[in-house]
Amino acid sequence: MKKSTRILAAASAAAMMLTLAACGNNNEDPSSSGESSGNAQYTVGICQLVQHDALDQATLGFKDAMVDSLGEGNVEFYEQNANNDPNTCNTIINGFVSDGVDLILANATAPLQSAAAATDSIPIIGTSVTDYATALDMDNWTGTTGRNISGTSDLAPLDQQAEMIQELFPEAKTIGLLYCSGEPNSVYQIDVIEGYLTNMGYTCERYSFTDSNDVAAVTQSACDGSDVIYIPTDNTAASNTELIANVVLSAKVPVIAGEQGICSGCGVATLSIDYYELGYQAGIMAYNILANGADISTLEIETAPNVSKLYNESVCEQLGITVPDDYSPLATD
């Protein structure tokens, strides 16, 4: 699958972009870097929660799948970044609804929740969402939403992530669980993996931050009370990996990460999915809805087809950690 950026935006989208420009990344008109398709059959609004590698790759995979399936010039993307602000997600999504886009891509939980509240008619495809039942506050989960929402989940096997901690750090006693309390899917992951780790005999302590302002202080507390730290797929953590790395490396406390973007920034190892592939899956789902008339209400949430054991060579070297032979090194720029 080709990973070159393909941003297609029509000049006719300019009016909509004026209303959304203030919500975009760096306050730029998102159509300014695209090419006009002129006669696109479909318009797709993309709301991405925040800029970091995992979400960026999911958005890219989604757009590539749509263009590969529909052909150049047949789809326009109105792409906006909410800068990790749920209120901005609401503004962006409401703009998409007002302009009558054909489909909305909600990249992460907060955009999905905003889209779910804003429309019950425009198809909504989610990606980089860990647990849809949690995100949408649904009981008796069956795998489908029964409404205008479906998508792909970035949940890696949490039991296998717990086993990774045991494999790499069998002598550890206390595991610090570091996450953002304001992200429902982070809380879900912590609830689940804490059960696995407790059954393995570990003592688990939770360390939660509310936003970027208290990441450093909470990370230091986690280092002071933990032998190993676990960070789930968490957007606030992913946006602050350099800050976390400065604390954990100084304290010599290893981090096991829920995904490879966090691991690249501050972790030792991860059992991770490929977010480009996850976004590409979401794009194929969107194509089937728009072009083939698939009923989104009956489409099951899809998960990533592959997971990989990956390690951060630089961090392992700094901490003197040797990983087993079945781990692959993270790709570096």
Side-chain angles (χ1 to χ4, degrees):
M1 293 178 288
K2 188 176 181 181
K3 295 192 179 182
S4 61
T5 304
R6 305 175 184 181
I7 304 175
L8 305 174
S12 61
M16 187 188 96
M17 291 310 162
L18 288 174
T19 64
L20 295 177
C23 306
N25 193 30
N26 299 323
N27 292 325
E28 293 179 356
D29 182 343
S31 66
S32 61
S33 60
E35 298 177 0
S36 175
S37 61
N39 59 349
Q41 298 180 41
Y42 303 105
T43 56
V44 176
I46 298 175
C47 182
Q48 179 174 316
L49 177 61
V50 66
Q51 183 176 10
H52 63 70
D53 185 63
L55 299 190
D56 292 348
Q57 286 298 307
T59 292
L60 178 59
F62 175 84
K63 293 193 294 185
D64 282 356
M66 292 290 285
V67 173
D68 289 347
S69 300
L70 292 168
E72 295 279 356
N74 289 320
V75 58
E76 297 171 8
F77 299 114
Y78 302 154
E79 185 175 351
Q80 291 284 308
N81 190 302
N83 297 315
N84 211 20
D85 183 355
N87 290 327
T88 303
C89 290
N90 293 337
T91 302
I92 292 169
I93 295 295
N94 287 332
F96 292 159
V97 173
S98 296
D99 283 275
V101 297
D102 295 307
L103 182 139
I104 294 171
L105 174 72
N107 191 350
T109 300
L112 182 75
Q113 292 171 328
S114 294
T119 178
D120 60 4
S121 56
I122 298 174
I124 300 165
I125 289 292
T127 194
S128 313
V129 176
T130 303
D131 182 67
Y132 282 74
T134 298
L136 299 173
D137 194 23
M138 296 181 64
D139 296 324
N140 302 317
W141 179 249
T142 63
T144 63
T145 67
R147 52 171 298 187
N148 62 319
I149 300 171
S150 191
T152 57
S153 166
D154 64 355
L155 181 63
L158 293 172
D159 56 340
Q160 294 180 43
Q161 290 186 351
E163 291 168 1
M164 175 177 283
I165 294 174
Q166 187 176 56
E167 177 181 46
L168 295 178
F169 306 105
E171 303 301 319
K173 303 297 183 184
T174 302
I175 310 300
L177 306 175
L178 183 65
Y179 64 102
C180 178
S181 60
E183 298 188 31
N185 282 294
S186 295
V187 177
Y188 169 81
Q189 292 170 82
I190 293 300
D191 288 343
V192 174
I193 200 166
E194 183 176 22
Y196 290 130
L197 292 170
T198 300
N199 288 338
M200 290 176 177
Y202 290 108
T203 298
C204 295
E205 297 290 342
R206 296 191 181 203
Y207 299 91
S208 63
F209 40 81
T210 56
D211 56 35
S212 298
N213 294 321
D214 58 348
V215 168
V218 175
T219 301
Q220 185 60 62
S221 295
C223 288
D224 293 341
S226 310
D227 299 315
V228 178
I229 290 173
Y230 173 78
I231 303 176
T233 56
D234 182 287
N235 290 300
T236 305
S239 300
N240 291 275
T241 55
E242 182 177 355
L243 189 156
I244 294 171
N246 289 338
V247 178
V248 298
L249 292 178
S250 177
K252 304 292 185 183
V253 177
V255 169
I256 297 298
E259 55 93 4
Q260 64 185 39
I262 295 174
C263 189
S264 295
C266 62
V268 166
T270 183
L271 183 73
S272 185
I273 66 170
D274 186 318
Y275 275 81
Y276 179 87
E277 288 184 356
L278 192 74
Y280 202 95
Q281 279 181 279
I284 295 299
M285 295 177 75
Y287 165 74
N288 284 327
I289 292 162
L290 293 178
N292 296 331
D295 182 356
I296 189 171
S297 68
T298 65
L299 291 181
E300 290 194 2
I301 302 302
E302 297 185 9
T303 56
N306 303 301
V307 293
S308 302
K309 285 184 173 182
L310 303 172
Y311 73 99
N312 186 323
E313 289 182 288
S314 174
V315 171
C316 286
E317 184 176 324
Q318 291 180 66
L319 298 181
I321 294 170
T322 301
V323 300
D325 292 340
D326 59 340
Y327 285 69
S328 300
L330 283 161
T332 55
D333 294 334

